[in-house]
Every structure is written in C-alpha cells, then in structure tokens.
Amino acid sequence: MTAETWGWWIAAFLLVLDLVIRATAIIVIPRNRRPTAAMAWLLAVFFIPFVGVFLFLLIGNPRLPRARRRKQDQINEYIAETSENLHFGTLRPNAPAWFGPVVQMNQKLGALPLSGDNGAHLISDYQESLDEMAEAIRTAQEYVHVEFYILQSDEATDNFFRALEEVCARGVEVRVLLDHWANRWKPRYRETVRRLDAMGADWHLMLPVQPLKGRMQRPDLRNHRKLLVVDGVVAFLGSQNVTDSTYNLPKNIKRGLHWVDLMVRLDGPVVLSVNAIFVADWYSETDTVLEGIDITHADIGSGDLDCQVVPSGPGFEVENNLRLFLGLLYAAKKRIMIVSPYFVPDEALLLAVTAAVDRGVNVELFVSEEGDQAMVYHAQRSYYEVLLKAGVRIWMYRKPYILHTKSLTIDDEVAVIGSSNMDMRSFGLNLEVSMLVRGEEFVTEMREVEDKYRSLSRELTLEEWMQQPLRSTVLDNLARLTSALQ
C-alpha cells in the first residue's frame, strides 16, 4: 500500500472518528445537565474535538463516584430516622408563612432538622476567630473534630495547633479532616501533617486524588467545608480556613493580599447537626462509623435562635444550597444583603436577584475590588452590568483585602452563613455547609458586620462600569463562558 493510500485511509478514519465523537457528544453530554453547561461542553467538543473529549472525560462528571453517593444516602437515611421523633429545643413563635416550607425543603434534601434554643455569636476578626477556636479546643474532655478545606500550621495558627497538642496529651481524641488537593501543593503541608502525626491526631485527607490507591474522582471536586466541634457542646463554622490571612502564598504576600472572613460560634442542639456533617464526612473518607458520638441529644444553648444546617455538594442529587438561596430570595419583602467573594450566578439565581429589585426589595451585593482567582474574578465581573441596570447596589471591598465571607440576610429575621459561595463551583462541585438562622438578634449582628464592610468599600456605579475598556469586557465574557463547564 502506497504512502498516498495510507494517507487517505488515515484521513477517512479521522473523519469517521470525528463524526462519531460529535454524534456521541450530542447524545451523552446534554443528559441531566443544565442547558448552559451542556452547550459549553458541546462547543468545546465541536471546536476542539480531541481536547474537548479529554477534558470532558477528566472533569465532565460533576458527581462523586457512585459508592460515595451511596454512603451519603445511607447517612441521610440514618439521620432522618433518628431525628424523626426527637425534640430539638423550642422553636420561636410567629415564623413567616414561607419559613416552614423552606425548612421542610432543606430537611428533605439534607436530612438535618431545624432546632431551637441555640446560641450563636459572630467573630469577624481573623486572628480572634483562630484564638477563640483554640480556647474552645482547650475545654475538650472527650473529642475534638476538625474539618477545614485548608489547614496549615504557621505563626497565625500556632495557638490553634498548640491547643490540639495539649488536649491530645490529656488523652482527648483529636480527629482531623483536610482537603487533599487544596493542601497537598500548598506551603507548610509537610510541616502540618508532621505536626499532626507528632501530637497523635487521627487525620485523613478529604476527596484524595490517588489513582494508584483506587481513590479517584473528578480531580476538581473539593470538600470546601470549614467546621470545628468540641465534645458535641460547642461548634464553629463559616468561611475561614485555618491558615495565615495571606494563605502563606508568595504571590499573595507580594501583592499584599489578606483574607477577610466571618465565623460563628455555636452552642445548643444545632451543634449536633454540625457534628453530623463531620461524622458523615469521616465515614465517607475512612469507612469508619464513629461509635459513641451522640448526634441525637443536646442541652439547650445560650440563646433562643432557630438554626438549621444545610449540607450540599456533588454527593447529593440536587444543589441543596442553591435551592435554599432561591427560596429565601423569593421570600424577601424588604432587604437582601449578599456577601460573596465569588458571585457567578446561574440563570435561576440571577433572575431571583433581579426580580427581587423589581418587587421593590433593596438588594445589595458585597464583593472584592480585587480578585485572587482570575477566571472567577472576570466571570463575576461579566454580571455587573445587568445587576447594576436592574438596580442592585454593588459594594467593592477595597484592595488589598479579599472579602471571603459568605452570607445572606433576608429582611430583619433570617440569615445564612457558611462556606458556600454563590457560584457554579459551590453549587455543583464543592462539598459545602450552610446554616440557616432565624432570629432578629442574630440578623442585627449580621447587619453590624455588613455596615462595617460597607464602610470599608466603595460603591460601583453603572456610569463607572460602562466606561470599562473593551478588552476587559471581552475577557470578562470569555471567563463567563468557561464558568458553565460543569
């Protein structure tokens, strides 16, 4: 066979392969996927077939492996059965008519009930929150559960780690979960795990990408949760990682970037729900059921707030956090305050925000003036024009600080705080934890934090935004297209 004939056969084979790839993509990709995500993947496959197929096989599945999802189903069934007839504190009277259905939805999706008689205290100072967690750890008598997306032993967190060492020395069980991909390539990783080993902590990586050990899923699925539980009596959750406010990254230090976060200290029955999240993640990563950890009985807390913990992520069938946000946005009558460092809404969320303005609701969005992740930062910017034209007020927290808090307050009675951003990654790819709180006193605390953020921000106006150079608009819109690849 001549070289020319071989060339024709190879060309014919590649043509047929290309047609098969395109036809298969049309059948496979749109199934159970958002139209925007399906269209983005189809465009990738059609314009760059072989690269597009490789990327789809690598990161095209937004769900955890089936075995991991079965574990989540087992956990949900257990929580639902054990909490069905339990009394978790006394709930506040006179809830808005819409509140009950939202709570019911959350429990159906995430299994965890609404509880009353809870205390909650916000901590907005970065170092103070690390030190308060350290002091809570030092009170431990039985166990300490630590679960953070990023966990680093450094000068800022030394008190936190010393507290863990002290309780370990007293025989307290210290269990630690940290995300594999978020920590493995970061500064201080080796020092951190050596310190955990030296103190005797039982630690494990979350969502490890270790194909040689048979542990493999989409590599950019991450456990983004941040929580701490001490003896099932006190808990902390929020947006802050256990690391220096620069994350110890040379690029951040060079730019002078520091993270601004918000944590909440909890006591009362809601601590059982936070502990249930840890117990579930521990089981998912270790196949070990923590015997003797009671997630069904708790003393009343220092306040009378109603709280419900809402887990979300690729282990669930739907986006639990997105549905919570949508329910609250459509329920708002007077005010909506959104704090999200990465605000990249899907169509439903964007419609809910702009429709709220049309109903006469005052809507304000707090973001950072400077971004730490280029693609997300530019994707977020692509929505500013439509938001400003709709009447949303946008506050940009002044650089070199990255406003990393994730919160939502509705009117004067309901708030959400946790680890979840309002972007495609938090809705579909990250394991997150959010907490719904009902109580005017807690919302008042949240308003004080929002007022502080506003005083340290500048307002972005539509007039200023429309003067953006064309190159910025093009870059923003290109980044917006990539955000749909889920």
Side-chain angles (χ1 to χ4, degrees):
M1 189 177 291
T2 65
E4 183 177 357
T5 304
W6 271 111
W8 279 106
W9 275 109
I10 292 172
F13 172 76
L14 292 176
L15 176 61
V16 171
L17 180 62
D18 181 66
L19 291 174
V20 169
I21 288 173
R22 293 169 188 261
T24 304
I26 291 174
I27 296 170
V28 172
I29 290 177
R31 185 177 181 183
N32 297 324
R33 195 179 299 270
R34 287 196 191 96
T36 51
M39 183 59 68
W41 277 116
L42 287 172
L43 287 172
V45 170
F46 272 58
F47 281 101
I48 45 173
F50 299 107
V51 175
V53 169
F54 172 76
L55 290 175
F56 182 77
L57 293 175
L58 183 67
I59 63 172
N61 183 4
R63 294 294 175 215
L64 287 168
R66 187 171 300 172
R68 176 77 180 238
R69 297 200 305 273
R70 280 200 296 267
K71 287 183 180 179
Q72 185 65 61
D73 291 339
Q74 293 168 4
I75 293 161
N76 286 357
E77 290 174 8
Y78 169 73
I79 293 173
E81 290 173 2
T82 56
S83 64
E84 185 176 5
N85 298 312
L86 294 176
H87 177 66
F88 291 107
T90 302
L91 300 180
R92 299 168 73 102
N94 305 318
W98 55 264
F99 187 72
V102 169
V103 168
Q104 181 181 6
M105 175 189 69
N106 293 339
Q107 186 164 0
K108 177 183 178 182
L109 298 178
L112 295 168
L114 180 72
S115 64
D117 295 328
N118 296 295
H121 168 61
L122 293 174
I123 313 168
S124 60
D125 181 83
Y126 197 97
Q127 188 61 49
E128 181 184 342
S129 70
L130 292 171
D131 292 338
E132 281 210 27
M133 286 190 284
E135 290 310 305
I137 290 169
R138 288 189 170 95
T139 68
Q141 300 298 317
E142 299 178 27
Y143 61 84
V144 177
H145 290 164
V146 180
E147 179 176 339
F148 284 86
Y149 178 60
I150 295 176
L151 185 78
Q152 294 185 344
S153 171
D154 56 37
E155 186 175 345
T157 66
D158 183 63
N159 187 29
F160 183 98
F161 276 83
R162 281 191 287 108
L164 293 177
E165 290 164 343
E166 291 167 19
V167 298
C168 269
R170 290 196 278 106
V172 172
E173 288 282 346
V174 173
R175 303 182 180 97
V176 179
L177 293 173
L178 61 156
D179 187 82
H180 180 205
W181 203 258
N183 289 276
R184 184 63 183 85
W185 314 112
K186 293 288 194 306
R188 311 296 182 100
Y189 173 72
R190 294 186 183 279
E191 296 93 324
T192 299
V193 296
R194 279 200 296 264
R195 192 167 183 180
L196 291 172
D197 282 333
M199 73 175 70
D202 187 0
W203 67 272
H204 297 270
L205 297 171
M206 297 186 291
L207 297 179
V209 182
Q210 298 169 322
L212 297 180
K213 296 182 179 180
R215 307 190 72 177
M216 186 65 189
Q217 65 275 322
R218 176 171 170 168
D220 61 341
L221 298 182
R222 303 271 50 90
N223 192 320
H224 195 237
R225 294 166 180 161
K226 294 101 174 165
L227 59 91
L228 169 72
V229 181
V230 179
D231 289 344
V233 176
V234 176
F236 293 77
L237 65 77
S239 66
Q240 185 174 338
N241 291 294
V242 177
T243 181
D244 183 82
S245 63
T246 65
Y247 282 45
N248 298 302
L249 293 174
K251 63 178 183 178
N252 294 342
I253 296 171
K254 183 178 180 180
R255 295 167 63 187
L257 298 183
H258 290 271
W259 266 241
V260 175
D261 279 290
L262 187 63
M263 296 293 284
V264 59
R265 182 189 188 278
L266 301 166
D267 57 73
V270 71
V271 175
L272 301 178
S273 294
V274 181
N275 214 12
I277 299 296
F278 180 89
V279 170
D281 286 343
W282 187 266
Y283 171 62
S284 295
E285 300 299 350
T286 68
D287 290 320
T288 301
V289 176
L290 292 176
E291 302 290 347
I293 303 297
D294 185 5
I295 59 170
T296 60
H297 298 88
D299 295 331
I300 63 172
S302 59
D304 67 343
L305 298 171
D306 292 349
C307 299
Q308 184 179 34
V309 173
V310 182
S312 59
F316 294 92
E317 292 301 318
V318 299
E319 299 93 340
N320 299 355
N321 48 355
L322 175 58
R323 296 191 179 206
L324 166 62
F325 296 147
L326 291 174
L328 296 178
L329 291 170
Y330 278 113
K333 300 292 189 296
K334 296 181 291 185
R335 283 196 292 181
I336 296 172
M337 301 291 165
I338 302 170
V339 184
S340 181
Y342 313 118
F343 184 81
V344 186
D346 69 349
E347 295 93 333
L349 184 62
L350 185 63
L351 179 60
V353 170
T354 54
V357 181
D358 292 337
R359 297 197 309 271
V361 177
N362 171 31
V363 180
E364 299 184 36
L365 170 65
F366 294 81
V367 295
S368 295
E369 185 177 42
E370 186 169 10
D372 66 303
Q373 299 183 28
M375 294 300 291
V376 180
Y377 173 68
H378 284 286
Q380 173 175 283
R381 284 164 50 91
S382 71
Y383 291 93
Y384 287 172
E385 182 177 342
V386 66
L387 291 169
L388 290 167
K389 285 184 175 178
V392 176
R393 298 183 71 182
I394 299 178
W395 298 95
M396 306 179 73
Y397 200 95
R398 291 188 181 275
K399 58 185 179 184
Y401 294 95
I402 301 296
L403 182 58
H404 195 240
T405 296
K406 303 96 163 50
S407 66
L408 170 67
T409 52
I410 300 296
D411 298 336
D412 298 316
E413 194 172 9
V414 174
V416 175
I417 183 173
S419 67
S420 178
N421 298 302
M422 289 193 176
D423 69 347
M424 309 298 190
R425 166 161 287 281
S426 278
F427 296 147
L429 304 180
N430 287 346
L431 279 71
E432 306 281 8
V433 59
S434 304
M435 184 177 68
L436 175 68
V437 184
R438 177 173 172 251
E440 298 89 341
E441 57 270 40
F442 185 79
V443 176
T444 298
E445 272 197 68
M446 289 292 303
R447 292 278 183 254
E448 292 173 357
V449 174
E450 292 161 357
D451 290 344
K452 179 181 177 181
Y453 291 165
R454 192 181 293 104
S455 71
L456 296 171
S457 305
R458 69 176 184 86
E459 185 171 7
L460 177 66
T461 65
L462 180 59
E463 181 181 6
E464 176 191 346
W465 183 250
M466 297 308 291
Q467 295 174 4
Q468 291 291 312
L470 178 61
R471 64 179 181 276
S472 295
T473 302
V474 171
L475 185 58
D476 294 344
N477 289 328
L478 285 174
R480 179 172 177 168
L481 288 175
T482 63
S483 70
L485 290 174
Q486 289 189 38

